[in-house]
Structure formats: C-alpha cells, structure tokens
C-alpha cells in the first residue's frame, strides 16, 4: 500500500465513522473509484482500532464511570445512572450482534454493490431528515429506558447494509425518541464502542485463521491517522450539531446516492 492510499483510507475511516454518512460505504467506494486494490482485512482492523481509540479517549471519563458502575450494578440495589446506562449500551448492542452473525455472508457479498449503497444512502438519509425536522427533542441519554435502548439497537442492526451509516441510523432512532441532537450523538458514539470491539475481535479471528502476513508499519500509521481524524470529527460534530442540524449530511447523502446511480446504473 502506497502512502497516498494509506492516508486517504485512514482519513476516510476516521472522518466518516462518526458522521451520519456511512464509513463502510466510503471504504467500499474509494477503491472502486480509484482503482486501488482492496486494502485488506488487516488494514480495516487497524483503522477501526483508530476510531475506537478516538471515541474511548474522547469520552474517557464517562467510559471509566460506565465500566465501573456497570460491573457494580448487578451486586447493588442502589440506582445509579451510569450503571443503568452501561447495561443499556449492552442491550442496544445485542440486535446488531445477532444480525451480524446471521447475515454476515449476505452483507459481505450481495449488499456491497454501489446501487445498494446509493439506495441506502438516499433512503436512510431522508429518514434522518424526517427525524430531525423538528430540531430534536429535549431528552438526554440518561433518560433512556430498556425499551428505548432496544429500539435504537434494532435500528443499529439495519446499519449492516452498506450506505446506511451506523451513526446515522442510531441518531435517527434517538431523535425519533425525542432526544436532543447532542444527546443523540453522544449515545450513538458510546454505543459504537461495544460494536467496534466485537467486530474487531471477529476480524482479528479471521485474520489469524487466514494467516496472512502483516505490515506492522502500515497498520500503526493507519491506526494513528484514523484516530486523529476521528477525534477531531467527534469534537467538531458535538460542537456544531445543535446549530447545523442534520440537513448538511442529508444533502450530502442524497448527492452521493445520485452520483452513484448515474455512474453505475447507466
């Protein structure tokens, strides 16, 4: 992998992982558009590790409280906001875990086509716009209950379809539950942690089984670039989302989908 390809793919992953525009779609499309060879499973693992480091680092204080409180929660009768939220994140991860195991082959083959990405980008982009049309609600993530977490988790499972956007669909669900925009984004980002960990472990297993050689220098560089890009993206998104709303991302998704249709359908 040459330095330009490494930098582009790492930045694409870092920037798009937490924006509601689908990182998987962009990682699939970049090699198609540029003619580059597939970056390989090891590099995918590296850049996802970078985004994991970014979100854990950005929310490090809250993540630490969630871990401690989540471990304590089953052994105490005290009501703890962090403990309850920790287990809601676990509950919200179950649907995508089950769907991933059941439909992994279909997702990695049939659903990776440009026209599927185009349809998902436009369709779920319009749903994001509709959920955000009132400017969001007044709830925060600490007000969620188990039904809310499961509702968001079911939506998250839909993100296995490339072009949907995991962050976009979970923010859509949270906005439909009347969370405000910042709270919807925070919960989406926190919910990404167990998902990235689980998918990363599965990818590591597949890499070990395959026994392919590993270019450690490329992987470390990709991880760091993706982490820096993702950190900046999280910070800027949370800072400006209340003012900007979801409309710019919806317009981007529609434009991307239309371009894909023009290029690949005609």
């Amino acid at each position: 992998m040459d330095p330009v390809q490494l930098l582009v793919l790492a930045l694409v992953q870092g920037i798009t992982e937490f924006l509601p525009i689908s990182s998987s779609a962009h990682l699939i499309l970049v090699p198609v558009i540029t003619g580059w060879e597939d970056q390989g499973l090891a590099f995918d693992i590296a850049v996802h590790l970078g985004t994991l480091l970014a979100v854990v680092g950005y929310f490090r204080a809250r993540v630490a409280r969630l871990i401690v409180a989540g471990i304590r929660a089953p052994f105490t009768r005290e009501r703890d906001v962090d403990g309850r939220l920790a287990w809601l994140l676990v509950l919200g991860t179950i649907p995508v875990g089950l769907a991933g195991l059941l439909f992994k082959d279909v997702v990695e083959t049939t659903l990776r086509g440009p026209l599927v990405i185009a349809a998902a980008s436009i369709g779920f982009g319009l749903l994001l716009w509709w959920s955000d049309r009132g400017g969001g609600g007044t709830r925060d993530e600490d007000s969620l209950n188990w039904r809310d977490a499961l509702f968001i988790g079911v939506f998250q499972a839909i993100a296995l379809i490339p072009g949907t956007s995991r962050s976009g669909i979970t923010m859509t669900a949270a906005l439909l539950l009347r969370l405000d925009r910042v709270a919807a984004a925070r919960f989406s980002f926190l919910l990404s942690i167990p998902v990235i960990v689980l998918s990363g472990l599965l990818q590591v297993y597949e890499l070990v089984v395959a026994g392919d050689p590993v270019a450690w220098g490329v992987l470390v560089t990709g991880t760091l670039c993706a982490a820096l890009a993702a950190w900046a993206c999280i910070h800027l998104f949370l800072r400006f989302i209340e003012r900007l709303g979801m409309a710019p991302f919806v317009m981007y998704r529609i434009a991307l989908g239309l371009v894909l249709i023009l290029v690949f359908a005609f």
Side-chain angles (χ1 to χ4, degrees), residues 144-164:
L144 293 172
N145 56 43
W146 70 269
R147 294 181 185 85
D148 298 328
L150 192 58
F151 179 78
I152 297 173
V154 170
F155 268 62
Q156 182 172 233
I158 301 172
L160 291 172
I161 303 171
T164 301

Side-chain angles (χ1 to χ4, degrees), residues 52-72:
L52 176 64
L53 292 175
V55 70
V56 171
Y58 193 88
F59 294 104
R60 58 193 178 277
R62 188 71 193 270
V63 170
R65 294 202 308 270
L66 289 171
I67 292 173
V68 173
I71 293 172
R72 291 178 51 191

Side-chain angles (χ1 to χ4, degrees), residues 147-237:
R147 294 181 185 85
D148 298 328
L150 192 58
F151 179 78
I152 297 173
V154 170
F155 268 62
Q156 182 172 233
I158 301 172
L160 291 172
I161 303 171
T164 301
S165 171
R166 191 213 60 83
S167 59
I169 200 69
T170 51
M171 289 182 204
T172 296
L175 289 168
L176 290 173
L177 293 171
R178 307 306 300 158
L179 269 71
D180 66 58
R181 288 169 176 160
V182 174
R186 279 198 304 262
F187 187 77
S188 173
F189 296 159
L190 290 171
L191 191 59
S192 73
I193 295 173
V195 172
I196 296 174
V197 169
L198 290 175
S199 64
L201 290 174
L202 179 59
Q203 288 179 323
V204 167
Y205 170 77
E206 292 176 350
L207 182 64
V208 171
V209 170
D212 295 331
V214 177
W216 291 107
V218 171
L219 300 188
V220 171
T221 304
T223 298
L224 293 177
C225 290
L228 291 173
W231 179 291
C233 182
I234 293 170
H235 178 73
L236 293 174
F237 188 83

Side-chain angles (χ1 to χ4, degrees), residues 19 24 27 42 49 58 99 111 173 183 185 211 248 257:
L19 294 181
S24 61
L27 285 178
L49 174 60
Y58 193 88
L111 298 182

